């Protein structure tokens, strides 16, 4: 079983910054792609950014140039640096992690509980 826990949400003014972090722990052979989705009230969940364990990160066009995703493989932790925040970035941000329970095992996606980000003056 894998636990995924997010940290760092909160209230910030427009133009401000926040850094989210997310750590995966538990029993697994490897952690593969990690990333972030967000869901605003009344809207569908949206993929914000993702990063494979050994590849290039990818971010949604809606946040490109403002958000940066990075990870520390040794800590099984992913970060989302959010700059120049806008009110439309307000949402619950969910972290996910793909892991294999054993070598060559199936990829399973685990979710965090979500963290609220509110951008408001």
């Amino acid at each position: 079983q894998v636990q995924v826990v997010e940290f760092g949400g909160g209230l910030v003014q427009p133009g401000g910054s926040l850094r989210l972090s997310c750590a995966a722990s538990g029993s697994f052979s490897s952690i593969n792609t990690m990333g972030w989705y967000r869901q605003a009230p009344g809207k569908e969940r949206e993929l914000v950014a993702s990063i494979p364990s050994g590849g290039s990160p990818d971010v949604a066009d809606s946040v490109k140039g403002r958000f940066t995703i990075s990870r520390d493989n040794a800590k099984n932790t992913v970060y989302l640096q959010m700059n120049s925040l806008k009110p439309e970035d307000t949402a619950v941000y969910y972290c996910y992690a793909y892991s294999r329970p054993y070598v060559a095992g199936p990829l399973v996606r685990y979710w965090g509980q979500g963290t609220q980000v509110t951008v408001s003056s």
Side-chain angles (χ1 to χ4, degrees):
Q1 191 71 5
V2 177
Q3 293 78 45
V4 177
V5 181
E6 302 108 333
F7 304 91
L11 173 64
V12 64
Q13 292 187 344
S17 297
L18 275 178
R19 189 192 196 208
L20 306 182
S21 61
C22 168
S25 63
S27 177
F28 48 81
S29 170
S30 63
I31 296 291
N32 296 72
T33 298
M34 301 182 76
W36 297 89
Y37 276 78
R38 68 183 180 185
Q39 188 165 24
K43 294 188 176 182
E44 294 187 355
R45 192 171 289 194
E46 172 192 20
L47 177 61
V48 177
S50 63
I51 183 168
S53 59
S56 300
D58 189 29
V59 295
D61 288 342
S62 58
V63 304
K64 197 162 290 184
R66 300 187 297 121
F67 290 13
T68 303
I69 187 170
S70 61
R71 66 187 285 170
D72 183 333
N73 289 330
K75 296 180 179 180
N76 294 314
T77 298
V78 64
Y79 306 96
L80 186 67
Q81 178 67 44
M82 305 184 292
N83 299 328
S84 303
L85 282 161
K86 305 175 181 180
E88 51 263 42
D89 295 317
T90 296
V92 178
Y93 284 69
Y94 297 92
C95 176
Y96 70 91
Y98 279 97
S99 76
R100 296 186 190 277
Y102 49 87
V103 176
L107 275 175
V108 180
R109 182 163 61 179
Y110 294 90
W111 292 94
Q113 78 285 358
T115 185
Q116 177 71 45
V117 171
T118 302
V119 184
S120 175
S121 55

